[in-house]
């Protein structure tokens, strides 16, 4: 069985109490069969990274952590920014270039490239989101997520074969190791994507907010 990467992006959701309940439910994955080829990464809000890290370690849940963003600036007088050194205390991955950051916060290709570089400089693994095969993929990126804009938060996912075709183009042109699919992933459609030869997993948004649905996604991969 090929290795599968399953990433949950919780976005700007969950208080600490809500997060604790979510993690309590997620602890059930310890008893799931066939986890040997599946790596699970959860990206909570910055405010919960420390809590998630402690809970996962204390309860021995097979989950790794990622951040939803990273500052393109180092440590210093940059009010409101979260730098790579701060993230690295708790997480191993960073989501970079998500379509919501590009459209809502004006992050262009140059900013995305700076954030990729900053991730790598701090020994974090960037999970780079692109909207199509024409987006720039900076050097050092090994994980790319194809997330078509029309599928983000709409409930309308892309056709698995189209996603497969784009993943193949990205792998061929950029020489990346893994291409994931992101955009309205559910427990009902996930297998259609992960069964494709060039898709190595999924980035899950809204469906990851309910722990039981996210567990079903993990099971159905």
């Amino acid at each position: 069985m090929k290795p599968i990467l399953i990433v949950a992006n919780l976005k700007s959701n969950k208080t600490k109490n809500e997060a604790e309940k979510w993690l309590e439910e997620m602890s059930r994955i310890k008893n799931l069969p066939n986890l040997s080829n599946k790596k699970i990464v959860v990206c909570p809000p910055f405010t919960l990274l420390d809590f998630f890290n402690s809970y996962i370690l204390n309860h021995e849940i097979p989950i790794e952590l990622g951040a939803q963003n990273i500052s393109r600036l180092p440590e210093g007088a940059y009010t409101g920014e979260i730098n790579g050194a701060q993230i690295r205390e708790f997480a191993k991955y960073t989501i970079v270039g998500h379509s919501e950051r590009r459209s809502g916060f004006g992050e262009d290709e140059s900013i995305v490239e700076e954030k990729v570089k900053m991730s790598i400089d701090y020994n974090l693994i960037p999970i780079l989101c692109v909207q199509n095969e024409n987006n720039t993929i900076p050097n050092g990126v090994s994980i790319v997520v194809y997330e078509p804009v029309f599928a983000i938060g709409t409930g309308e996912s892309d056709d698995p074969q189209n996603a497969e075709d784009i993943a193949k183009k990205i792998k061929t042109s950029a020489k990346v190791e893994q291409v994931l699919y992101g955009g309205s992933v559910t427990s009902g459609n996930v297998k259609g994507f992960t069964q494709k030869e060039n898709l190595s997993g999924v980035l899950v948004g809204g469906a990851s907010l309910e722990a039981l649905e996210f567990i079903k996604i993990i099971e159905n991969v």
Side-chain angles (χ1 to χ4, degrees):
M1 293 185 292
K2 68 179 181 181
I4 296 291
L5 177 59
I6 307 163
V7 183
N9 178 13
L10 301 184
K11 304 189 180 184
S12 186
N13 294 288
K14 305 293 184 193
T15 62
K16 186 175 179 181
N17 288 339
E18 291 168 342
E20 184 170 17
K21 182 180 179 182
W22 189 90
L23 285 163
E24 286 173 0
E25 293 177 335
M26 280 299 297
S27 66
R28 302 181 191 186
I29 67 172
K30 291 188 290 186
N31 301 317
L32 292 181
N34 302 320
L35 274 184
S36 59
N37 69 316
K38 301 172 186 177
K39 180 180 290 186
I40 302 158
V41 175
V42 176
C43 303
F46 284 125
T47 55
L48 294 171
L49 273 174
D50 187 7
F51 177 70
F52 265 73
N53 183 58
S54 297
Y55 194 101
I56 287 167
L57 289 174
N58 290 336
H59 294 82
E60 298 182 335
I61 306 174
I63 289 174
E64 295 184 355
L65 287 179
Q68 297 175 21
N69 190 23
I70 183 173
S71 175
R72 59 188 173 122
L73 301 166
E75 303 98 317
Y78 307 111
T79 300
E81 292 293 293
I82 307 295
N83 67 65
Q86 294 168 316
I87 293 170
R88 194 66 183 83
E89 285 191 298
F90 311 111
K92 182 178 178 180
Y93 300 84
T94 54
I95 296 175
V96 180
H98 192 280
S99 60
E100 292 165 355
R101 298 295 310 178
R102 293 178 190 258
S103 64
F105 297 89
E107 294 190 3
D108 58 17
E109 297 282 35
S110 64
I111 292 175
V112 170
E113 187 168 358
E114 287 180 291
K115 291 189 172 188
V116 165
K117 183 180 184 304
M118 195 61 69
S119 298
I120 294 170
D121 286 349
Y122 282 100
N123 295 315
L124 293 159
I125 300 171
I127 300 173
L128 176 69
C129 297
V130 300
Q131 285 68 63
N132 54 61
E133 67 272 31
N134 298 318
N135 283 122
T136 300
I137 299 176
N139 292 333
V141 171
S142 60
I143 303 171
V144 171
V145 182
Y146 161 58
E147 49 157 22
V149 173
F150 68 80
I152 304 300
T154 64
E156 298 292 331
S157 63
D158 198 359
D159 175 71
Q161 185 57 51
N162 186 61
E164 163 73 358
D165 293 342
I166 290 176
K168 185 176 181 178
K169 291 177 183 177
I170 291 171
K171 277 191 168 183
T172 301
S173 62
K175 310 299 183 187
V176 297
E177 297 172 14
Q178 294 177 291
V179 178
L180 317 183
Y181 170 75
S184 299
V185 175
T186 68
S187 59
N189 66 22
V190 65
K191 183 166 281 190
F193 294 101
T194 57
Q195 284 184 331
K196 296 298 184 182
E197 179 182 355
N198 290 288
L199 288 169
S200 302
V202 287
L203 172 62
V204 187
S208 68
L209 296 179
E210 297 295 332
L212 297 183
E213 170 66 5
F214 188 50
I215 291 172
K216 286 182 183 177
I217 289 172
I218 296 168
E219 289 179 306
N220 290 351
V221 164

